[in-house]
Amino acid sequence: RFDLNKIYAGYNDGVLFSKSGGKDFVQIIIEKNININNIILDETQTKAIVLGSNKGLYKSFDNGKTFVKSGL
C-alpha cells in the first residue's frame, strides 16, 4: 500500500523526496545533468522505484537510498 505522505519529483541531477507530504524535501543525486522523465513506484513492493531518464533506467529497492543503472 502506498504512503500518501511520500512524494517523489524529478529535478536536474536526480530526485527530490519528501516523506512529510511535501513540507520538506531531501535531494537524491543520481547523476549530473540527468533528466528524470518517469518515476514508477511498485505497488507490490513499496520500497521499489524505477526511474526513466535521458541516460537510461535506474532502479532502487531501498526507497531511493541507492539507485543502480539498469538496461538501456
Side-chain angles (χ1 to χ4, degrees):
R1 208 166 178 164
F2 288 116
D3 182 346
L4 298 178
N5 286 313
K6 289 184 180 178
I7 298 172
Y8 295 87
Y11 84 106
N12 248 3
D13 297 332
V15 177
L16 297 174
F17 171 66
S18 174
K19 58 183 173 181
S20 62
K23 292 179 184 171
D24 56 322
F25 284 87
V26 173
Q27 293 179 339
I28 302 170
I29 296 174
I30 308 296
E31 189 176 327
K32 200 109 168 109
N33 298 316
I34 192 170
N35 295 316
I36 304 298
N37 302 316
N38 296 294
I39 300 173
I40 301 166
L41 305 177
D42 185 340
E43 52 185 82
T44 61
Q45 292 188 20
T46 57
K47 294 183 180 184
I49 303 166
V50 177
L51 303 176
S53 76
N54 63 322
K55 296 187 178 187
L57 296 174
Y58 293 80
K59 294 180 182 178
S60 173
F61 295 99
D62 57 8
N63 272 331
K65 291 179 186 168
T66 60
F67 281 90
V68 176
K69 191 168 185 176
S70 174
L72 308 175

